[in-house]
Amino acid sequence: MTDQLTATRPPATSLAPAALTSLLFGSLLPMLSFFMINVSLPAIGTDLHASAGELQLIVGAYGIAVATLLVVAGRLGDGFGRRRLLLGGLTGFVVASVICAIAPSVSVLLIARIIQGASAAAVTPQVLASITSLMTGEHRARGMALFGVANGISAALGQILGGVLVDANPFGLGWRSVFVVLALGGLLALIAIAASVPDTKAAEAHRVDLVGAALLAVTLVLLLLPLTEGRALHWPLWTWISLAAVVPAVGLLALHQRHAERVGHAPLIPPSVLKHRAMRIGLVMAVGFFTSFGGFMFAFALATQAGAHMTALEGGLSLLPLAIGFLITCIWGPALQRRYGVAMVVTGWIIQAGGYVLLAVAALALWPDVTVLKLALPMLVIGFGGGFVMIPLIGVVVSQVPPAQAGLGSGILLTSQQTCLALGAATVGTVFLSLATTWDFGTALATISLALAAIAILMAPITNQLRTTRA
């Protein structure tokens, strides 16, 4: 599909530095919002008297909203203008962040988080589409690489910044300061993008698959709600009924997607794209990585604060080596990716597995006497490995899909990213909390870390199949 500017002048080969910076800053906010909350969860639980299941929902509800509406927002941006959708999404994000900051109860906070996630869903696809349509050649490649860098470091950066804010307790706001900062960041991005980024839209707009989005939302709620609430409620009958209903819900979603594509509509998850072996392998990789990563960040935040009695600042700073590993990978990763391709991702899985094993050893040997320095080496190794996997994941997979379907492939992978981050907080978080109740936080974290290491080892040979894959 070709893109055109709403103005009559031809597309620029490169965005002005201020415009690209504004877009990249805007792209940071959705991921920052997801991960800044993790380190704030203990404080939220104490202040609002929230249960562990409710804390998981505060994370998961946001992820469900983003995952459900990501592709829909991309389609709307194609038809109505990407800058318009981007500004609308940022406006909603700012308003929702303010409501989160003043929320008097868990229920209000959950509703505001859903609104915040829905607004965030409008941001990411517009940033990607704007970079693609307003930049060409090496400029576009550089813009996409910088987008990967921003996406890669935002996870660790979010928890570090969240820890700093909760511990500093500015103006006595505590955890609420996290949402104040998100609101201010959204407002700054809104002003900068409005002043510097031109509007674009697709030459041909596709019909929005609202039915598909609704079916995906229902499926995710049926899956994630019992997983997050079941343990705390001792698994009542409704949780098992909900989990059993996931199977027919997935079947109904698949039937609708096939029908929509057959009659010429634009389905949320086009079955034709999934026919490509590279996309199927990429989705398996995305599920493995983002479910593991989302669950690990949730479990690590609770383990260090509730288990090792670190402050929120110490818990956030313990992730600084992970962020450094990501940052170093971001600097050298593009050159390594061009030289080694898929082999770089395979190596990343193995390095990440080694980091999880080192963390398990540290947790078993030192807990609860762990400090930021004692955890530095395992976290640095996990950051290195995670960066080698996460940063090139979309590019490596989509490069093997026909160019005409590359945009759809990216959208599906981004949707799976958000879905699996929420799924990780629900599944890995539930297992971690169950283990922590039976054993102690250190043993629980070590067990989770070894399980995630095993998943990474399993992902390496699966990823290696991309070497012989032809779309």
Side-chain angles (χ1 to χ4, degrees):
M1 183 190 302
T2 58
D3 291 326
Q4 62 182 14
L5 289 171
T6 52
T8 56
R9 60 182 177 83
T13 58
S14 178
L15 281 169
L20 180 58
T21 301
S22 300
L23 286 171
L24 293 173
F25 179 69
S27 73
L28 275 173
L29 295 172
M31 289 290 280
L32 282 177
S33 181
F34 188 96
F35 286 103
M36 284 177 75
I37 306 310
N38 278 343
V39 77
S40 311
L41 291 175
I44 294 173
T46 300
D47 188 32
L48 299 183
H49 308 290
S51 67
E54 288 171 330
L55 293 179
Q56 286 177 282
L57 278 178
I58 290 172
V59 177
Y62 177 87
I64 292 173
V66 176
T68 302
L69 297 173
L70 194 68
V71 176
V72 171
R75 298 291 192 196
L76 290 173
D78 288 345
F80 294 102
R82 289 153 186 155
R83 179 174 175 270
R84 183 180 300 177
L85 259 291
L86 183 52
L87 296 178
L90 287 170
T91 300
F93 186 88
V94 170
V95 172
S97 297
V98 171
I99 297 174
C100 287
I102 62 175
S105 65
V106 174
S107 57
V108 173
L109 180 59
L110 281 172
I111 293 171
R113 282 287 281 170
I114 293 171
I115 298 171
Q116 191 184 43
S119 302
V123 175
T124 302
Q126 316 314 329
V127 171
L128 278 171
S130 295
I131 291 174
T132 301
S133 60
L134 291 168
M135 307 179 80
T136 59
E138 288 297 321
H139 297 289
R140 178 188 293 174
R142 178 174 173 272
M144 295 298 290
L146 289 173
F147 175 84
V149 169
N151 199 46
I153 66 173
S154 59
L157 179 63
Q159 297 206 175
I160 293 170
L161 182 57
V164 170
L165 288 171
V166 173
D167 195 70
N169 192 25
F171 306 106
L173 292 172
W175 62 268
R176 298 176 188 275
S177 62
V178 169
F179 293 105
V180 172
V181 168
L182 287 172
L184 292 174
L187 184 61
L188 179 61
L190 181 67
I191 295 170
I193 289 171
S196 62
V197 178
D199 201 8
T200 66
K201 62 181 178 180
E204 180 184 355
H206 288 283
R207 184 174 178 176
V208 177
D209 185 13
L210 295 178
V211 175
L215 289 173
L216 177 60
V218 169
T219 302
L220 292 176
V221 170
L222 288 172
L223 175 64
L224 297 180
L225 185 60
L227 288 177
T228 54
E229 293 296 300
R231 187 197 64 84
L233 298 176
H234 306 292
W235 300 101
L237 179 61
W238 72 263
T239 61
W240 298 107
I241 294 174
S242 181
L243 288 172
V246 171
V247 176
V250 170
L252 187 60
L253 175 62
L255 287 174
H256 175 267
Q257 297 301 280
R258 290 195 187 98
H259 173 74
E261 190 167 53
R262 188 167 57 249
V263 298
H265 295 165
L268 196 70
I269 308 170
S272 61
V273 177
L274 299 181
K275 289 179 181 178
H276 299 292
R277 188 163 176 261
M279 273 303 305
R280 295 196 300 272
I281 295 173
L283 284 174
V284 173
M285 292 163 57
V287 169
F289 180 82
F290 291 113
T291 302
S292 298
F293 192 70
F296 171 72
M297 296 297 250
F298 177 86
F300 186 80
L302 290 182
T304 51
Q305 292 185 63
H309 306 295
M310 288 185 175
T311 64
L313 176 59
E314 289 171 333
L317 289 178
S318 63
L319 288 164
L320 182 59
L322 187 148
I324 292 172
F326 262 115
L327 183 60
I328 294 173
T329 305
C330 291
I331 295 172
W332 297 104
L336 293 173
Q337 182 183 338
R338 287 192 297 270
R339 182 172 181 179
Y340 297 107
V342 174
M344 173 182 169
V345 186
V346 174
T347 303
W349 286 118
I350 297 171
I351 294 173
Q352 188 180 51
Y356 283 132
V357 171
L358 288 174
L359 180 61
V361 171
L364 289 173
L366 303 174
W367 208 272
D369 253 345
V370 291
T371 63
V372 173
L373 288 178
K374 290 177 181 178
L375 295 177
L377 179 59
M379 300 306 289
L380 180 65
V381 176
I382 292 172
F384 269 123
F388 278 135
V389 176
M390 182 178 177
I391 293 170
L393 175 60
I394 293 177
V396 167
V397 175
V398 173
S399 66
Q400 301 189 53
V401 175
Q405 294 179 312
L408 289 173
S410 298
I412 292 173
L413 285 175
L414 287 171
T415 299
S416 68
Q417 176 196 52
Q418 296 298 326
T419 301
C420 291
L421 287 173
L423 181 63
T427 55
V428 178
T430 295
V431 172
F432 171 77
L433 289 168
S434 299
L435 294 175
T437 301
T438 305
W439 299 330
D440 59 78
F441 280 94
T443 306
L445 181 61
T447 304
I448 290 296
S449 298
L450 291 174
L452 297 182
I455 291 173
I457 292 296
L458 289 174
M459 287 293 108
I462 293 173
T463 304
N464 199 48
Q465 294 180 39
L466 285 173
R467 291 173 183 268
T468 57
T469 296
R470 293 292 181 267

